[in-house]
Amino acid sequence: MQISFLQILMLLGAFQGFIFSGFAFFSNKFKSRSNLFLGLLILTFSYNILQNFLIISGILNQFNYFETFHIPLSSVFLVLFYLYVLYFLHPNLKNRKSHFLLFVPFLIALLESILEKIGFATKLFDQRDIIYFNYFRIGFEIFNVIFSLILILASFRLIQNYERNRIVKSNKHPKMVVRWLKTISFILLVLCLYWPIPLYFEINHDLETSELYFYPLWLGLAVTIYTLGHIGLYQYGVVQEQKSIRNYSNNQTIAIHVEVENSKNENVEAFENYIKIEKNYQNPDLSLELVADELGINKSYLSRIINNEIGKSFTDYVNEMRVEEAKIYLANPDFKNYTLLAIGLEAGFNSKSVFNAAFKKFTGMTPSEYRNSIK
Protein backbone atom coordinates (compact mmCIF):
# COMPACT_ATOMS: atom_id res chain seq x y z
CA MET A 1 0.00 0.00 0.00
CA GLN A 2 1.47 3.34 -1.10
CA ILE A 3 0.01 6.62 0.16
CA SER A 4 0.34 9.64 -2.14
CA PHE A 5 1.02 13.24 -1.15
CA LEU A 6 -2.61 14.23 -1.86
CA GLN A 7 -3.82 11.42 0.39
CA ILE A 8 -1.55 12.66 3.18
CA LEU A 9 -3.08 16.13 2.74
CA MET A 10 -6.56 14.57 3.01
CA LEU A 11 -5.61 12.85 6.27
CA LEU A 12 -4.05 15.98 7.76
CA GLY A 13 -7.09 18.02 6.70
CA ALA A 14 -9.41 15.56 8.43
CA PHE A 15 -7.52 15.75 11.74
CA GLN A 16 -7.32 19.54 11.50
CA GLY A 17 -11.09 19.60 11.07
CA PHE A 18 -11.65 17.40 14.13
CA ILE A 19 -9.56 19.75 16.27
CA PHE A 20 -11.21 22.87 14.85
CA SER A 21 -14.75 21.53 15.33
CA GLY A 22 -13.94 20.68 18.95
CA PHE A 23 -12.81 24.26 19.44
CA ALA A 24 -16.08 25.55 17.94
CA PHE A 25 -18.15 23.24 20.18
CA PHE A 26 -16.45 23.73 23.53
CA SER A 27 -15.11 27.31 23.52
CA ASN A 28 -17.38 29.57 25.61
CA LYS A 29 -16.19 32.54 23.58
CA PHE A 30 -17.84 31.19 20.43
CA LYS A 31 -20.93 29.59 21.93
CA SER A 32 -23.92 30.21 19.63
CA ARG A 33 -26.37 28.32 17.45
CA SER A 34 -24.66 29.44 14.26
CA ASN A 35 -21.28 28.18 15.49
CA LEU A 36 -22.90 24.90 16.55
CA PHE A 37 -23.91 24.30 12.93
CA LEU A 38 -20.50 25.53 11.76
CA GLY A 39 -18.79 23.03 14.05
CA LEU A 40 -21.08 20.23 12.87
CA LEU A 41 -20.35 21.14 9.25
CA ILE A 42 -16.59 20.94 9.80
CA LEU A 43 -16.88 17.75 11.87
CA THR A 44 -19.02 15.87 9.33
CA PHE A 45 -16.91 17.06 6.42
CA SER A 46 -13.70 16.00 8.19
CA TYR A 47 -15.16 12.56 8.86
CA ASN A 48 -16.16 12.31 5.20
CA ILE A 49 -12.59 13.15 4.15
CA LEU A 50 -11.36 10.39 6.46
CA GLN A 51 -13.84 7.96 4.87
CA ASN A 52 -12.58 8.80 1.38
CA PHE A 53 -8.97 8.50 2.52
CA LEU A 54 -9.53 4.96 3.84
CA ILE A 55 -10.98 3.66 0.58
CA ILE A 56 -8.73 5.61 -1.84
CA SER A 57 -5.55 4.66 0.03
CA GLY A 58 -6.56 1.00 -0.09
CA ILE A 59 -6.71 0.57 3.69
CA LEU A 60 -10.27 -0.70 3.18
CA ASN A 61 -11.66 -2.27 0.01
CA GLN A 62 -15.00 -1.06 -1.28
CA PHE A 63 -16.95 -3.97 0.21
CA ASN A 64 -15.44 -3.68 3.71
CA TYR A 65 -15.76 0.09 3.57
CA PHE A 66 -19.51 0.11 3.00
CA GLU A 67 -20.01 -2.89 5.28
CA THR A 68 -18.36 -1.31 8.32
CA PHE A 69 -17.24 2.30 8.14
CA HIS A 70 -19.36 4.27 5.69
CA ILE A 71 -21.76 7.00 6.89
CA PRO A 72 -23.57 8.83 4.02
CA LEU A 73 -22.81 12.46 4.85
CA SER A 74 -22.85 14.20 1.45
CA SER A 75 -26.50 15.22 1.84
CA VAL A 76 -25.91 16.97 5.16
CA PHE A 77 -23.10 19.43 4.30
CA LEU A 78 -25.20 22.07 2.57
CA VAL A 79 -28.02 21.66 5.10
CA LEU A 80 -25.59 22.59 7.87
CA PHE A 81 -24.22 25.46 5.77
CA TYR A 82 -27.72 26.81 5.13
CA LEU A 83 -28.59 26.66 8.85
CA TYR A 84 -25.28 28.31 9.72
CA VAL A 85 -26.05 31.20 7.36
CA LEU A 86 -29.61 31.47 8.69
CA TYR A 87 -28.65 31.71 12.36
CA PHE A 88 -25.54 33.81 11.75
CA LEU A 89 -27.67 36.45 10.03
CA HIS A 90 -30.62 36.05 12.41
CA PRO A 91 -29.25 34.94 15.81
CA ASN A 92 -32.54 35.70 17.59
CA LEU A 93 -34.65 33.61 15.21
CA LYS A 94 -36.61 30.90 16.99
CA ASN A 95 -35.99 27.27 16.11
CA ARG A 96 -38.45 25.95 13.57
CA LYS A 97 -39.44 22.31 13.28
CA SER A 98 -39.57 22.72 9.50
CA HIS A 99 -35.79 23.22 9.46
CA PHE A 100 -35.30 19.68 10.72
CA LEU A 101 -37.12 18.37 7.63
CA LEU A 102 -33.97 19.33 5.73
CA PHE A 103 -32.27 16.36 7.39
CA VAL A 104 -34.80 13.85 5.98
CA PRO A 105 -32.63 12.94 2.92
CA PHE A 106 -29.68 12.26 5.22
CA LEU A 107 -31.84 10.10 7.51
CA ILE A 108 -33.08 8.07 4.52
CA ALA A 109 -29.51 7.48 3.34
CA LEU A 110 -28.43 6.63 6.89
CA LEU A 111 -31.27 4.11 7.24
CA GLU A 112 -30.22 2.46 3.96
CA SER A 113 -26.62 2.31 5.18
CA ILE A 114 -27.64 0.72 8.51
CA LEU A 115 -29.82 -1.89 6.77
CA GLU A 116 -26.93 -2.66 4.43
CA LYS A 117 -24.52 -3.15 7.34
CA ILE A 118 -26.99 -5.36 9.23
CA GLY A 119 -27.65 -7.39 6.09
CA PHE A 120 -23.97 -8.08 5.48
CA ALA A 121 -23.27 -8.75 9.16
CA THR A 122 -26.07 -11.35 9.35
CA LYS A 123 -25.10 -12.89 5.98
CA LEU A 124 -28.48 -11.86 4.57
CA PHE A 125 -26.53 -10.12 1.78
CA ASP A 126 -23.24 -11.01 0.15
CA GLN A 127 -20.82 -9.18 -2.14
CA ARG A 128 -23.01 -9.85 -5.19
CA ASP A 129 -25.78 -7.73 -3.64
CA ILE A 130 -23.60 -4.66 -3.31
CA ILE A 131 -24.46 -3.66 -6.89
CA TYR A 132 -28.04 -2.87 -5.84
CA PHE A 133 -26.84 -0.64 -3.05
CA ASN A 134 -24.50 1.05 -5.53
CA TYR A 135 -27.50 1.88 -7.72
CA PHE A 136 -29.19 3.48 -4.72
CA ARG A 137 -26.07 5.49 -3.86
CA ILE A 138 -25.63 6.76 -7.41
CA GLY A 139 -29.28 7.81 -7.59
CA PHE A 140 -28.96 9.46 -4.23
CA GLU A 141 -25.81 11.33 -5.33
CA ILE A 142 -27.73 12.76 -8.29
CA PHE A 143 -30.43 13.89 -5.87
CA ASN A 144 -27.73 15.41 -3.63
CA VAL A 145 -26.42 17.58 -6.45
CA ILE A 146 -29.88 19.04 -7.07
CA PHE A 147 -30.67 19.34 -3.35
CA SER A 148 -27.34 21.08 -2.67
CA LEU A 149 -27.87 23.59 -5.47
CA ILE A 150 -31.28 24.47 -4.02
CA LEU A 151 -29.77 25.00 -0.56
CA ILE A 152 -26.98 27.23 -1.90
CA LEU A 153 -29.49 29.36 -3.82
CA ALA A 154 -31.59 29.57 -0.64
CA SER A 155 -28.47 30.73 1.24
CA PHE A 156 -27.87 33.41 -1.39
CA ARG A 157 -31.45 34.57 -0.92
CA LEU A 158 -30.98 34.83 2.86
CA ILE A 159 -27.87 36.97 2.38
CA GLN A 160 -29.51 39.23 -0.21
CA ASN A 161 -32.59 39.72 1.97
CA TYR A 162 -30.37 40.59 4.93
CA GLU A 163 -28.46 43.18 2.88
CA ARG A 164 -31.72 44.66 1.60
CA ASN A 165 -33.43 44.78 4.99
CA ARG A 166 -30.50 46.12 6.99
CA ILE A 167 -30.71 49.44 5.12
CA VAL A 168 -34.01 50.31 6.75
CA LYS A 169 -33.58 48.66 10.15
CA SER A 170 -32.99 50.59 13.36
CA ASN A 171 -29.46 51.66 14.28
CA LYS A 172 -29.90 50.12 17.72
CA HIS A 173 -28.48 46.84 16.43
CA PRO A 174 -25.09 46.19 14.75
CA LYS A 175 -25.07 45.73 11.00
CA MET A 176 -22.76 43.00 9.80
CA VAL A 177 -20.69 42.96 6.65
CA VAL A 178 -21.59 39.77 4.79
CA ARG A 179 -19.64 40.04 1.53
CA TRP A 180 -17.33 37.26 2.73
CA LEU A 181 -20.34 34.98 3.26
CA LYS A 182 -21.59 35.72 -0.23
CA THR A 183 -18.15 34.85 -1.63
CA ILE A 184 -18.11 31.51 0.22
CA SER A 185 -21.61 30.76 -1.11
CA PHE A 186 -20.51 31.52 -4.67
CA ILE A 187 -17.49 29.18 -4.38
CA LEU A 188 -19.74 26.41 -3.05
CA LEU A 189 -22.09 27.01 -5.99
CA VAL A 190 -19.20 26.58 -8.46
CA LEU A 191 -18.11 23.36 -6.73
CA CYS A 192 -21.68 21.99 -6.85
CA LEU A 193 -21.85 22.74 -10.58
CA TYR A 194 -18.56 20.83 -10.98
CA TRP A 195 -19.85 17.86 -8.94
CA PRO A 196 -21.71 16.13 -11.86
CA ILE A 197 -18.43 15.67 -13.79
CA PRO A 198 -16.84 13.04 -11.49
CA LEU A 199 -20.31 11.67 -10.80
CA TYR A 200 -20.76 11.01 -14.53
CA PHE A 201 -17.65 8.80 -14.62
CA GLU A 202 -18.75 7.03 -11.44
CA ILE A 203 -22.13 6.21 -13.03
CA ASN A 204 -20.29 4.80 -16.05
CA HIS A 205 -18.11 2.63 -13.75
CA ASP A 206 -14.92 4.47 -14.71
CA LEU A 207 -13.78 4.65 -11.10
CA GLU A 208 -10.19 5.61 -11.87
CA THR A 209 -11.24 8.68 -13.89
CA SER A 210 -13.97 9.46 -11.38
CA GLU A 211 -11.43 9.44 -8.55
CA LEU A 212 -9.16 11.73 -10.57
CA TYR A 213 -11.95 14.28 -11.04
CA PHE A 214 -13.12 13.95 -7.44
CA TYR A 215 -9.77 15.19 -6.11
CA PRO A 216 -10.35 18.85 -7.16
CA LEU A 217 -13.84 18.68 -5.65
CA TRP A 218 -12.58 17.35 -2.31
CA LEU A 219 -9.68 19.79 -2.26
CA GLY A 220 -11.93 22.73 -3.16
CA LEU A 221 -14.49 21.78 -0.52
CA ALA A 222 -11.78 21.30 2.10
CA VAL A 223 -10.22 24.72 1.47
CA THR A 224 -13.63 26.42 1.32
CA ILE A 225 -15.12 24.83 4.44
CA TYR A 226 -12.00 25.25 6.58
CA THR A 227 -11.72 28.86 5.39
CA LEU A 228 -15.38 29.31 6.32
CA GLY A 229 -14.57 27.96 9.77
CA HIS A 230 -11.72 30.41 10.40
CA ILE A 231 -13.49 33.44 8.93
CA GLY A 232 -16.81 32.48 10.52
CA LEU A 233 -15.40 32.38 14.05
CA TYR A 234 -13.46 35.61 13.45
CA GLN A 235 -16.57 37.38 12.15
CA TYR A 236 -18.59 36.07 15.09
CA GLY A 237 -16.04 37.67 17.42
CA VAL A 238 -16.29 40.94 15.47
CA VAL A 239 -20.08 40.91 15.80
CA GLN A 240 -19.84 40.39 19.57
CA GLU A 241 -17.48 43.36 19.79
CA GLN A 242 -19.91 45.40 17.68
CA LYS A 243 -22.73 44.56 20.09
CA SER A 244 -20.65 45.68 23.06
CA ILE A 245 -19.71 48.96 21.36
CA ARG A 246 -23.31 49.53 20.24
CA ASN A 247 -24.60 49.01 23.81
CA TYR A 248 -22.07 51.57 25.00
CA SER A 249 -23.11 54.00 22.26
CA ASN A 250 -26.84 53.57 22.96
CA ASN A 251 -26.37 54.12 26.69
CA GLN A 252 -24.05 57.12 26.42
CA THR A 253 -24.50 60.64 25.10
CA ILE A 254 -21.49 60.85 22.82
CA ALA A 255 -20.60 64.40 21.87
CA ILE A 256 -19.58 64.44 18.22
CA HIS A 257 -18.33 67.83 17.10
CA VAL A 258 -17.79 68.65 13.44
CA GLU A 259 -17.04 72.19 12.31
CA VAL A 260 -19.74 73.55 9.98
CA GLU A 261 -20.73 76.96 8.72
CA ASN A 262 -23.69 78.66 10.40
CA SER A 263 -26.96 78.07 8.59
CA LYS A 264 -30.61 78.94 9.11
CA ASN A 265 -31.90 76.72 6.32
CA GLU A 266 -34.55 74.44 7.83
CA ASN A 267 -33.66 71.65 5.40
CA VAL A 268 -30.05 71.75 6.58
CA GLU A 269 -31.23 71.60 10.20
CA ALA A 270 -33.41 68.60 9.36
CA PHE A 271 -30.44 66.97 7.62
CA GLU A 272 -28.13 67.56 10.59
CA ASN A 273 -30.72 66.23 13.03
CA TYR A 274 -31.21 63.12 10.93
CA ILE A 275 -27.48 62.45 10.62
CA LYS A 276 -26.13 63.64 13.95
CA ILE A 277 -28.89 63.55 16.57
CA GLU A 278 -30.45 60.31 15.35
CA LYS A 279 -26.97 58.85 14.76
CA ASN A 280 -27.76 57.70 11.24
CA TYR A 281 -24.11 58.21 10.32
CA GLN A 282 -23.66 54.80 12.00
CA ASN A 283 -25.54 53.21 9.10
CA PRO A 284 -22.92 51.77 6.69
CA ASP A 285 -25.53 51.80 3.90
CA LEU A 286 -26.24 55.52 4.32
CA SER A 287 -26.38 57.39 1.02
CA LEU A 288 -27.43 60.81 -0.21
CA GLU A 289 -30.38 59.23 -2.00
CA LEU A 290 -31.54 57.43 1.17
CA VAL A 291 -31.34 60.63 3.24
CA ALA A 292 -33.19 62.63 0.57
CA ASP A 293 -35.99 60.04 0.53
CA GLU A 294 -36.22 60.02 4.32
CA LEU A 295 -36.41 63.82 4.50
CA GLY A 296 -38.65 64.22 1.46
CA ILE A 297 -36.12 66.47 -0.29
CA ASN A 298 -34.90 66.36 -3.87
CA LYS A 299 -31.52 64.60 -4.02
CA SER A 300 -29.80 67.24 -6.18
CA TYR A 301 -31.17 70.08 -4.07
CA LEU A 302 -30.03 68.39 -0.86
CA SER A 303 -26.53 67.88 -2.25
CA ARG A 304 -26.36 71.54 -3.26
CA ILE A 305 -27.46 72.97 0.08
CA ILE A 306 -25.09 70.66 1.99
CA ASN A 307 -22.17 71.99 -0.06
CA ASN A 308 -23.31 75.62 0.10
CA GLU A 309 -24.64 75.82 3.66
CA ILE A 310 -22.39 73.36 5.51
CA GLY A 311 -19.33 73.84 3.34
CA LYS A 312 -18.63 70.11 2.99
CA SER A 313 -19.66 67.35 0.64
CA PHE A 314 -22.17 64.80 1.91
CA THR A 315 -19.50 62.08 2.03
CA ASP A 316 -16.96 64.22 3.89
CA TYR A 317 -19.54 65.43 6.40
CA VAL A 318 -20.71 61.91 7.23
CA ASN A 319 -17.24 60.33 7.23
CA GLU A 320 -15.79 63.06 9.44
CA MET A 321 -18.55 62.38 11.96
CA ARG A 322 -17.79 58.66 11.78
CA VAL A 323 -14.09 59.33 12.35
CA GLU A 324 -14.88 61.44 15.42
CA GLU A 325 -16.95 58.61 16.85
CA ALA A 326 -14.25 56.06 16.05
CA LYS A 327 -11.73 58.21 17.94
CA ILE A 328 -13.91 57.95 21.05
CA TYR A 329 -13.97 54.16 20.80
CA LEU A 330 -10.23 53.96 20.12
CA ALA A 331 -9.53 56.07 23.22
CA ASN A 332 -11.79 53.96 25.43
CA PRO A 333 -9.70 51.48 27.49
CA ASP A 334 -12.65 49.05 27.53
CA PHE A 335 -12.17 48.60 23.78
CA LYS A 336 -8.36 48.51 23.69
CA ASN A 337 -8.28 44.87 22.53
CA TYR A 338 -11.16 45.19 20.08
CA THR A 339 -10.48 44.77 16.38
CA LEU A 340 -10.25 47.86 14.21
CA LEU A 341 -12.84 46.24 11.96
CA ALA A 342 -15.46 46.18 14.75
CA ILE A 343 -14.72 49.80 15.68
CA GLY A 344 -14.87 50.95 12.06
CA LEU A 345 -18.13 49.12 11.41
CA GLU A 346 -19.75 50.55 14.54
CA ALA A 347 -18.66 54.05 13.58
CA GLY A 348 -20.54 53.55 10.30
CA PHE A 349 -17.90 52.46 7.78
CA ASN A 350 -18.65 49.43 5.62
CA SER A 351 -15.10 48.02 5.47
CA LYS A 352 -11.75 48.27 7.20
CA SER A 353 -10.06 49.73 4.10
CA VAL A 354 -12.60 52.58 3.82
CA PHE A 355 -12.24 53.20 7.57
CA ASN A 356 -8.44 53.42 7.31
CA ALA A 357 -8.56 55.77 4.31
CA ALA A 358 -11.12 58.15 5.84
CA PHE A 359 -9.42 58.16 9.24
CA LYS A 360 -6.07 59.08 7.72
CA LYS A 361 -7.70 61.79 5.59
CA PHE A 362 -9.15 63.59 8.61
CA THR A 363 -6.48 62.90 11.25
CA GLY A 364 -3.27 62.29 9.31
CA MET A 365 -2.91 58.94 11.09
CA THR A 366 -4.20 55.42 10.64
CA PRO A 367 -6.57 54.10 13.34
CA SER A 368 -3.83 51.86 14.78
CA GLU A 369 -1.38 54.79 14.90
CA TYR A 370 -3.99 56.91 16.66
CA ARG A 371 -4.69 54.16 19.19
CA ASN A 372 -0.96 53.80 19.92
CA SER A 373 -0.53 57.57 20.26
CA ILE A 374 -2.97 57.82 23.19
CA LYS A 375 -1.59 54.94 25.26
Side-chain angles (χ1 to χ4, degrees):
M1 180 183 65
Q2 187 174 3
I3 298 177
S4 69
F5 176 71
L6 284 175
Q7 291 166 2
I8 292 174
L9 287 180
M10 289 175 66
L11 186 61
L12 292 175
F15 283 114
Q16 178 195 10
F18 292 140
I19 295 171
F20 192 91
S21 59
F23 183 72
F25 287 141
F26 300 112
S27 172
N28 290 329
K29 181 180 178 181
F30 299 109
K31 194 172 184 179
S32 70
R33 279 186 303 175
S34 62
N35 288 338
L36 172 64
F37 287 113
L38 180 61
L40 285 171
L41 172 59
I42 295 172
L43 177 64
T44 54
F45 183 74
S46 299
Y47 184 83
N48 196 61
I49 289 179
L50 184 59
Q51 290 186 135
N52 288 315
F53 166 78
L54 289 174
I55 192 169
I56 290 173
S57 64
I59 294 176
L60 292 177
N61 62 41
Q62 189 180 41
F63 177 74
N64 290 332
Y65 167 67
F66 286 109
E67 183 184 8
T68 59
F69 199 79
H70 174 68
I71 298 177
L73 294 170
S74 58
S75 61
V76 82
F77 299 145
L78 271 299
V79 172
L80 293 172
F81 176 74
Y82 171 79
L83 292 174
Y84 166 72
V85 172
L86 177 66
Y87 289 114
F88 180 81
L89 298 178
H90 307 286
N92 297 321
L93 186 69
K94 292 183 179 180
N95 291 321
R96 296 178 183 175
K97 292 181 180 179
S98 59
H99 292 155
F100 293 98
L101 294 176
L102 296 172
F103 291 97
V104 168
F106 165 69
L107 294 176
I108 292 173
L110 182 62
L111 178 61
E112 180 275 335
S113 180
I114 293 172
L115 291 175
E116 181 181 356
K117 289 174 175 59
I118 293 174
F120 285 120
T122 58
K123 308 301 181 181
L124 184 63
F125 306 134
D126 57 32
Q127 293 195 36
R128 291 173 297 179
D129 296 312
I130 200 170
I131 187 173
Y132 302 110
F133 293 103
N134 284 340
Y135 287 146
F136 173 84
R137 280 190 287 271
I138 289 172
F140 197 74
E141 283 293 295
I142 295 172
F143 166 81
N144 279 340
V145 173
I146 300 171
F147 186 49
S148 297
L149 286 171
I150 292 172
L151 288 169
I152 292 176
L153 293 175
S155 300
F156 265 117
R157 185 177 179 85
L158 285 174
I159 297 168
Q160 289 173 341
N161 286 341
Y162 175 83
E163 289 181 319
R164 189 182 305 114
N165 293 334
R166 77 174 188 173
I167 296 176
V168 296
K169 282 187 176 179
S170 168
N171 278 331
K172 291 183 179 180
H173 304 287
K175 297 183 179 181
M176 299 177 290
V177 174
V178 293
R179 286 189 297 270
W180 64 275
L181 198 53
K182 190 182 292 185
T183 301
I184 292 287
S185 300
F186 177 76
I187 294 172
L188 288 174
L189 177 62
V190 172
L191 291 172
C192 273
L193 292 174
Y194 173 83
W195 191 354
I197 297 175
L199 187 58
Y200 168 80
F201 291 105
E202 183 178 351
I203 292 172
N204 287 279
H205 306 291
D206 188 349
L207 298 181
E208 186 175 340
T209 305
S210 174
E211 180 182 313
L212 181 65
Y213 280 100
F214 261 121
Y215 270 121
L217 180 62
W218 290 327
L219 182 60
L221 280 172
V223 171
T224 304
I225 290 177
Y226 292 147
T227 300
L228 170 65
H230 287 285
I231 297 178
L233 291 185
Y234 171 75
Q235 290 291 339
Y236 176 80
V238 169
V239 171
Q240 299 314 301
E241 291 176 353
Q242 285 184 257
K243 289 180 179 179
S244 179
I245 296 171
R246 183 59 58 98
N247 287 335
Y248 169 81
S249 175
N250 290 337
N251 294 325
Q252 299 288 328
T253 302
I254 300 177
I256 302 296
H257 179 69
V258 176
E259 292 289 340
V260 298
E261 297 178 3
N262 292 328
S263 172
K264 295 182 179 180
N265 188 307
E266 62 179 14
N267 288 322
V268 173
E269 290 181 5
F271 167 75
E272 289 187 314
N273 284 335
Y274 179 80
I275 298 296
K276 185 175 180 179
I277 305 302
E278 298 178 24
K279 294 186 177 181
N280 281 299
Y281 59 85
Q282 292 178 333
N283 182 357
D285 300 302
L286 191 70
S287 65
L288 182 63
E289 184 176 7
L290 176 63
V291 176
D293 288 342
E294 288 290 319
L295 299 179
I297 304 173
N298 178 271
K299 175 184 173 182
S300 299
Y301 173 69
L302 179 60
S303 177
R304 187 166 60 253
I305 62 172
I306 291 172
N307 280 277
N308 293 339
E309 300 287 338
I310 297 180
K312 302 175 187 289
S313 69
F314 170 81
T315 301
D316 280 351
Y317 177 80
V318 173
N319 280 347
E320 188 173 2
M321 198 161 293
R322 290 167 173 168
V323 167
E324 290 301 314
E325 176 137 340
K327 286 165 67 176
I328 294 172
Y329 300 150
L330 290 167
N332 191 323
D334 291 339
F335 306 140
K336 65 179 180 179
N337 294 321
Y338 281 27
T339 60
L340 294 177
L341 177 59
I343 289 174
L345 292 174
E346 278 310 289
F349 295 100
N350 60 15
S351 72
K352 186 177 177 180
S353 60
V354 175
F355 174 40
N356 284 335
F359 199 94
K360 188 156 190 175
K361 176 179 179 179
F362 292 107
T363 67
M365 293 183 284
T366 64
S368 57
E369 289 171 344
Y370 180 82
R371 174 183 266 172
N372 292 332
S373 72
I374 58 178
K375 286 183 178 179

